[in-house]
Amino acid sequence: MSDAASEVVGDGKVVSIEYVLTDPSGEELDRSGEAPMAYLHGGHGIVPGLEEALHGKTVGESLRVEVPPGKGYGEKGKVKPQRVLRSHFPPDAPVEKGAQFLMRGEDGRPIPIWITKVMGREVYVSPEHPLAGVTLCFDVTVKAIRDATDEERAHGHVHGPGGHHHHDDDDDDDDGDDDD
Ligand code: ZN
């Protein structure tokens, strides 16, 4: 018997959190939406420093976590932005500074890139997150914890409310999750 109150954040759990993210000066950078954000613990869906801090926490616990860049979105300035022609993006894509896209790496894995600059037909992209180099201050509350489904474990991310905006290409498994 496991009642919800005894659930502890650990690998293979789907954890729902409310959070406010600020930089060290207190400027708000991001926050969870109306519904808590759900992530798969151990799946590296959130920055490593936050995932580590949440390990072992229980529902209702609130904490403030300061995550250095090395455990956040990485150090800044390790890579030079690369130039890509506008024509490589879909015609209707929102090609503007800060927009994120997925590129296929040589091994076929999707690699996130961000647009750093647009100059006419030339677009500069970088694999560096816009928050690289920034110390992240999270005020976070654990709202819910549950076991991940087998499918979620296999995919490495959460399905359903608060979770992954599902794959837009090859699979269509919205009806495939039966809890346990
Ligand atoms: Zn999935």
Side-chain angles (χ1 to χ4, degrees):
M1 236 175 28
S2 75
D3 60 318
S6 68
E7 293 269 34
V8 172
V9 175
D11 290 351
K13 298 288 187 183
V14 171
V15 184
S16 297
I17 55 173
E18 278 177 359
Y19 69 90
V20 178
L21 170 60
T22 54
D23 70 12
S25 76
E27 190 188 337
E28 185 173 316
L29 302 171
D30 190 22
R31 61 166 63 226
S32 47
E34 261 171 54
M37 184 197 75
Y39 76 94
L40 176 63
H41 197 83
H44 309 301
I46 61 174
V47 296
L50 182 58
E51 193 168 55
E52 281 174 22
L54 285 165
H55 200 89
K57 298 292 185 263
T58 54
V59 174
E61 275 195 86
S62 294
L63 55 156
R64 182 171 174 82
V65 190
E66 202 173 292
V67 178
K71 289 193 170 184
Y73 292 108
E75 306 289 347
K76 191 153 186 68
K78 295 264 160 78
V79 282
K80 259 184 100 169
Q82 287 204 329
R83 193 183 56 159
V84 184
L85 290 179
R86 174 66 179 85
S87 53
H88 282 102
F89 292 86
D92 57 345
V95 175
E96 57 192 30
K97 186 181 173 186
Q100 185 193 353
F101 290 87
L102 289 175
M103 284 191 131
R104 293 256 171 234
E106 283 172 14
D107 56 1
R109 286 171 68 90
I111 301 171
I113 55 157
W114 286 267
I115 293 178
T116 61
K117 190 164 66 171
V118 180
M119 292 177 69
R121 293 170 54 236
E122 298 182 344
V123 180
Y124 289 82
V125 301
S126 170
E128 220 170 54
H129 192 281
L131 291 178
V134 177
T135 295
L136 310 169
C137 304
F138 288 95
D139 282 296
V140 56
T141 301
V142 179
K143 303 300 286 184
I145 303 169
R146 66 168 169 82
D147 289 328
T149 64
D150 291 343
E151 188 182 65
E152 286 171 326
R153 276 177 227 256
H155 283 203
H157 55 234
V158 175
H159 294 159
H164 194 67
H165 318 286
H166 220 273
H167 321 249
D168 44 14
D169 47 5
D170 49 357
D171 76 359
D172 178 23
D173 55 7
D174 281 353
D175 56 353
D177 59 338
D178 49 12
D179 290 35
D180 292 11

